[in-house]
Amino acid sequence: MTGLLRLSGLIDAVNEGIGKLAYWLVLVAVVVSSVNAVIRYAFNISSNAWLELQWYLFAAVFLLCAGYTFLRNEHIRIDIVLGRFSRRVQAWVDIFGILVFMFPMSILILKLSLPMFWDSFHTNEMSSDAGGLIRWPAKLLIPVGFFLLTAQGVSELIKRIAFLTGHRDEPGEKMHSHS
């Protein structure tokens, strides 16, 4: 179990780092959006590339932070119901949810998105809008984001099992602190 908990800690650290890097993507998205709006209204100049960059950045934040959100336990939950049960029952419900709902969905999307990205990359797919951007970087975000989410699911599963087997005090307890 010690090796699995180390793996869990590594996955947590990767998603924590990516989540903190994504904070900067939010800032970049705000700056791009603001500059684009000012230029469009002040100088009556517009570019599809800037508009597409805005949604690329939004997609990056959303997709790359799914695992980070799961790590932070800030995903959608049924706490109003689960709060009435013991921590052990909550851990079993989490395990069930990860195995029956999260893994099949995230693995399916990961599997289906890889050929879509690969085709876009090989054909150097471009936006159909005039002056638009290449599409494969945005399409790459889908499998990367769902890989990170799936990996975090593995980490959370390890932590719940460790809790149930007495190798960990709390299922949501952090293995190490980040500052």
Side-chain angles (χ1 to χ4, degrees):
M1 185 54 72
T2 303
L4 290 174
L5 286 170
R6 280 194 194 118
L7 173 63
S8 173
L10 175 64
I11 293 168
D12 289 355
V14 167
N15 272 313
E16 181 82 26
I18 290 172
K20 289 188 176 183
L21 283 174
Y23 289 169
W24 292 103
L25 290 178
V26 173
L27 177 62
V28 172
V30 168
V31 169
V32 166
S33 185
S34 300
V35 168
N36 189 32
V38 167
I39 290 173
R40 187 172 59 239
Y41 290 112
F43 302 108
N44 201 25
I45 299 171
S46 183
S47 167
N48 286 328
W50 288 107
L51 294 172
E52 289 183 11
L53 181 59
Q54 287 173 225
W55 72 259
Y56 278 29
L57 290 167
F58 174 76
V61 169
F62 180 82
L63 289 165
L64 297 179
C65 286
Y68 178 71
T69 302
F70 198 15
L71 166 66
R72 293 296 191 168
N73 203 21
E74 294 179 2
H75 56 290
I76 296 173
R77 299 186 55 88
I78 52 172
D79 290 339
I80 195 164
V81 175
L82 278 183
R84 298 178 181 160
F85 297 106
S86 71
R87 298 295 288 158
R88 292 185 67 76
V89 170
Q90 291 175 21
W92 277 111
V93 170
D94 286 345
I95 289 169
F96 177 80
I98 290 167
L99 292 174
V100 173
F101 298 110
M102 202 279 295
F103 278 162
M105 179 272 313
S106 61
I107 291 169
L108 178 65
I109 294 173
L110 176 60
K111 181 182 177 193
L112 293 174
S113 65
L114 282 170
M116 182 182 67
F117 154 70
W118 194 246
D119 182 54
S120 181
F121 179 75
H122 275 289
T123 61
N124 203 28
E125 180 184 4
M126 295 293 294
S127 170
S128 59
D129 297 324
L133 301 175
I134 57 173
R135 288 281 165 95
W136 68 262
K139 290 184 177 184
L140 176 62
L141 292 170
I142 300 167
V144 169
F146 279 93
F147 173 79
L148 292 169
L149 178 60
T150 303
Q152 193 59 47
V154 169
S155 175
E156 297 304 315
L157 191 60
I158 291 168
K159 289 186 269 190
R160 297 323 184 268
I161 293 169
F163 168 70
L164 291 172
T165 59
H167 291 90
R168 193 178 165 110
D169 291 335
E170 288 289 325
E173 173 190 332
K174 297 264 187 277
M175 290 299 292
H176 43 73
S177 74
H178 298 283
S179 54

